[in-house]
Structures are given as structure tokens and as C-alpha cells.
Amino acid sequence: MDVKDVLFMSKGDGEHSYAQTSTYTQKVASVTKPTIASAVGSLLEEGFFPCELLNVADLGCASGPSVVTFMSTVMESVQKKCAHSNCPLPELQFYLNDLPGNDFNTLFKSLSNFSQSYESLSCFIMGAPGSFHGRLFPRNCLHFAHSSYSVHWLSQVPNLTSEEGFPLNKGRIYISKTSPRVVKEAYLAQFRADFLTFLKCRGEEMVDNGRLVLILNGREDKDFASLDGYFIWEKLGEAIAGLVSEGFIEEEKLDTLNVPYYTASSEEVRGIVNEEGSFDIKHLEILEIDRGSPDEDPHSRGRKMAKHARSFTGAIISHHLGEEIMDELYGKRLPVIIADDLAKERREGVSIIVVLKKLVP
């Protein structure tokens, strides 16, 4: 499986689209607005400001409303800072990046009237398709870069086959409590390689003292013991295993399905940033955000969470298992499994927020 060809959020603006179902990532975007505003404010205290142009990138932007939240936060923070400092407003160039399979059409339709809300500030918006696991921009051109719920996606699935050709993560689609240690180490090694490359590329593209804000799905536990870090993958794996046991899916398809995703701990993130050496960590925190309304009926929440899961996992799952099982999997099996779990225990998603400053060589 070539990840860059099959990884994209559900397209359009229909019932199962990412644009309509990404309520959780939008909640994360809203909660992290103060951190982004603070990072923009500190950026505009650096020696290169005032300036005529600020280049801003949103990496792994997808096509949901969180893009508007991010861009609005940047625009409002720049306006506030310039008004307070009594300096001229710069022009802003936004680069919206994602893999080529992203639904840029829906994204740009949603932004058609965006600049009209900020008539005093010149704003230009451009798509920048490509993988952020490589260079995307010229050297020393970005002042501010941001990525929310994207860096945890891996460039490839780690090798989880033994020398004899047997699946090492048999019956599971991601790291589980019962996964062998070698599976966890393989996922961490792939994340480390990808994150090092990501940081190296951004270090080359960003100006000295530029800011990079990353928001990742993560985990609190060092030893993978917390289900909150991989809740959706665990429940999706259970639903697929049920279809296997009933003969809807061949067992081999489950055994060879492993998702290109990694929920890192804050210690892992900190260690890799320090190892790569292009950035200084200015802020790092862990947020726990409820996956829905705690007062909502578990079955209603289960249906909503299954729809959201389909919007960001569906492309990979259908590529491997076939389109014909998607409605049964996401419309019937997964909502019930999620609801049964939520009826017993409250589930919160774990987000890691890190603000980085590009070091001067």
C-alpha cells in the first residue's frame, strides 16, 4: 500500500464527508486557538517584523472547517498585534498543504468568501499539494507553519512480517495491549524516522526564529496502556474481526491490515525534536478533550463517532477490504461497539500541542 495514494479524508460535503463529520478535530482547533494566537504574537516580536509579507502554511489541512478556524486566528492575531504596536499590516500568503488526493475543491469552495471578513488585511490563499515528509517550499520562506491532526500519519506502514512471512500483529490493525513488543517498536521507529524528516524539511523552509505549531493525536502513557490513545483503531479492529468471524472478510485481509498511524507520547515528541536540532521547544502540553457531549446518549454518540471514523479511516479501509463492506462496518457494527464502550466509561481524546521556534544557526 502506497500511503500517499490512498490516504485522504472523505470528499465532498455530504453525510459521510470529512467536512460534515469532523466535529472532534474542529473542537480541538477551537480549544487550541489561544496557543496559536500566542505563537503568532511572539513571532511578531522578532527582529524581522514589521515586514511587508508573512508566509503561513497549514500542513495536512484536509477539507474541514478547522482550516477556517486556524486562518481566522492568524488573521485576527496579526490585526491585534499591529494595532497595538501601531505598525502597518503585512500582506498574508496562506499555503494550504495536503496530499494530492485531498479534496481541494471542497476546501476552496468553503473559503470563497473568507477574505471578505478581513477587508483591511490583504490575504492570498494557495493550494500546495504534496507530502510533508519531504520539502514543499523554498529555503527560508515560511514565517509560521501549523499542522493539526496530521503529523501522526506515517509515510508508510512499518514492516510487521516475520522472517518466516507470518504477520506479527495478527488479528489487529494497530498497536493493542496484546501486540508484541516488536510491533510497538516498529511503529515508534517509523514515527521517529518520519518526524525527523518532517522537522528537517521544515527547518530548511522556515526563516530564523519562525514558529511551528504542531497538534498531534497522542497518548499519556509511556507503555501504550491507555486505550484513549488508540480508541477508534481498537474498536474498528474489533468490528472488522467480527466480520471476519462471520465470513464477510477473509482472515488474511485482517492479518495484513496495519494502519499508517502512531499516537506518540509527549516524551517521544520532545526527544525527537531535541534530537533533530532545528527547533527549540517553547511550549508543550497535553490536552484531554471529550470525544462528544458527555450528556448525550451513548448510542447517538456511537453513531456520530463511527461517521467521523469513516471520514478519516474509510479510504484506507476500503482500499484493503473492499467498498462492499463499508456500510455494514461503519453503519452497523462500529456504532454498536463504540456505544457499548461509552455506556461503561467516558472516553477522552489525547492531544499533544507543541510550539517550536526555529533556531538561528
Side-chain angles (χ1 to χ4, degrees), residues 4-247:
K4 67 177 183 296
D5 293 333
V6 299
L7 176 57
F8 52 84
M9 309 298 105
S10 295
K11 300 181 180 182
D13 55 7
E15 178 185 2
H16 299 300
S17 68
Y18 186 78
Q20 294 296 325
T21 64
S22 56
T23 52
Y24 180 75
T25 48
Q26 175 59 17
K27 184 185 292 188
V28 172
S30 297
V31 170
T32 55
K33 282 177 65 175
T35 301
I36 294 171
S38 175
V40 173
S42 65
L43 171 71
L44 300 185
E45 293 175 358
E46 298 294 347
F48 60 77
F49 192 79
C51 61
E52 294 183 353
L53 173 68
L54 281 178
N55 286 317
V56 180
D58 191 8
L59 306 170
C61 61
S63 56
S66 56
V67 178
V68 175
T69 300
F70 164 68
M71 292 173 60
S72 298
T73 303
V74 172
M75 299 277 277
E76 292 162 9
S77 300
V78 170
Q79 286 180 319
K80 181 178 179 181
K81 185 67 175 180
C82 290
H84 179 76
S85 304
N86 194 28
C87 63
L89 290 165
E91 293 187 322
L92 271 83
Q93 172 69 67
F94 284 98
Y95 296 98
L96 305 183
N97 157 260
D98 212 316
L99 293 171
N102 184 54
D103 189 358
F104 284 101
N105 287 335
T106 296
L107 174 61
F108 277 89
K109 284 179 183 177
S110 71
L111 295 171
S112 57
N113 298 318
F114 175 79
S115 59
Q116 296 178 11
S117 303
Y118 302 92
E119 294 181 356
S120 64
L121 190 55
S122 293
C123 168
F124 303 90
I125 307 171
M126 182 181 298
S131 171
F132 57 44
H133 292 118
R135 284 281 301 277
L136 292 164
F137 305 103
R139 292 180 182 273
N140 302 314
C141 75
L142 293 180
H143 298 91
F144 191 90
H146 161 268
S147 184
S148 182
Y149 268 60
S150 295
V151 175
H152 44 239
W153 288 104
L154 304 177
S155 66
Q156 63 184 38
V157 177
N159 181 14
L160 298 177
T161 305
S162 71
E163 294 181 359
E164 295 79 19
F166 298 112
L168 295 172
N169 204 30
K170 184 176 175 61
R172 295 170 288 266
I173 67 171
Y174 182 60
I175 301 168
S176 176
K177 288 183 179 180
T178 57
S179 294
R181 186 71 193 175
V182 65
V183 171
K184 301 170 185 178
E185 291 172 349
Y187 265 102
L188 174 56
Q190 185 62 54
F191 175 75
R192 175 181 171 276
D194 284 343
F195 196 29
L196 284 171
T197 299
F198 175 91
L199 293 169
K200 180 178 183 295
C201 292
R202 304 296 83 78
E204 293 172 355
E205 295 165 349
M206 301 195 73
V207 301
D208 292 345
N209 299 316
R211 298 298 194 275
L212 174 60
V213 179
L214 305 177
I215 305 162
L216 302 83
N217 184 200
R219 71 181 198 277
E220 288 190 283
D221 249 307
K222 295 180 181 180
D223 59 358
F224 302 91
S226 173
L227 181 60
D228 286 336
Y230 54 90
F231 176 75
I232 288 296
W233 296 120
E234 182 78 2
K235 298 307 169 185
L236 184 56
E238 290 178 19
I240 295 171
L243 292 174
V244 170
S245 68
E246 295 178 31

Side-chain angles (χ1 to χ4, degrees), residues 180-354:
R181 186 71 193 175
V182 65
V183 171
K184 301 170 185 178
E185 291 172 349
Y187 265 102
L188 174 56
Q190 185 62 54
F191 175 75
R192 175 181 171 276
D194 284 343
F195 196 29
L196 284 171
T197 299
F198 175 91
L199 293 169
K200 180 178 183 295
C201 292
R202 304 296 83 78
E204 293 172 355
E205 295 165 349
M206 301 195 73
V207 301
D208 292 345
N209 299 316
R211 298 298 194 275
L212 174 60
V213 179
L214 305 177
I215 305 162
L216 302 83
N217 184 200
R219 71 181 198 277
E220 288 190 283
D221 249 307
K222 295 180 181 180
D223 59 358
F224 302 91
S226 173
L227 181 60
D228 286 336
Y230 54 90
F231 176 75
I232 288 296
W233 296 120
E234 182 78 2
K235 298 307 169 185
L236 184 56
E238 290 178 19
I240 295 171
L243 292 174
V244 170
S245 68
E246 295 178 31
F248 288 96
I249 301 172
E250 296 174 10
E251 184 176 6
E252 182 185 5
K253 286 191 173 182
L254 170 58
D255 292 341
T256 55
L257 173 60
N258 291 284
V259 294
Y261 196 97
Y262 183 72
T263 47
S265 68
S266 59
E267 291 85 355
E268 289 166 352
V269 171
R270 184 186 298 275
I272 296 169
V273 170
N274 291 336
E275 177 186 354
E276 195 280 327
S278 295
F279 295 91
D280 179 38
I281 298 175
K282 306 304 293 183
H283 177 81
L284 190 152
E285 67 175 308
I286 295 175
L287 286 180
E288 294 184 51
I289 302 174
D290 200 286
R291 294 182 181 276
S293 172
D295 300 325
E296 191 174 4
D297 173 71
H299 294 283
S300 176
R301 291 179 67 190
R303 288 190 295 271
K304 289 180 181 179
M305 290 177 67
K307 278 187 178 181
H308 177 45
R310 182 172 184 168
S311 76
F312 73 89
T313 67
I316 289 175
I317 299 301
S318 64
H319 173 80
H320 194 85
L321 301 180
E323 183 65 32
E324 63 274 7
I325 57 91
M326 295 293 283
D327 289 342
E328 177 72 22
L329 176 60
Y330 289 99
K332 298 179 181 180
R333 305 299 179 101
L334 186 58
V336 173
I337 290 174
I338 293 176
D340 288 347
D341 184 277
L342 294 178
K344 302 172 187 174
E345 188 173 353
R346 181 178 178 179
R347 293 296 181 189
E348 293 182 319
V350 178
S351 298
I352 298 173
I353 308 170
V354 58

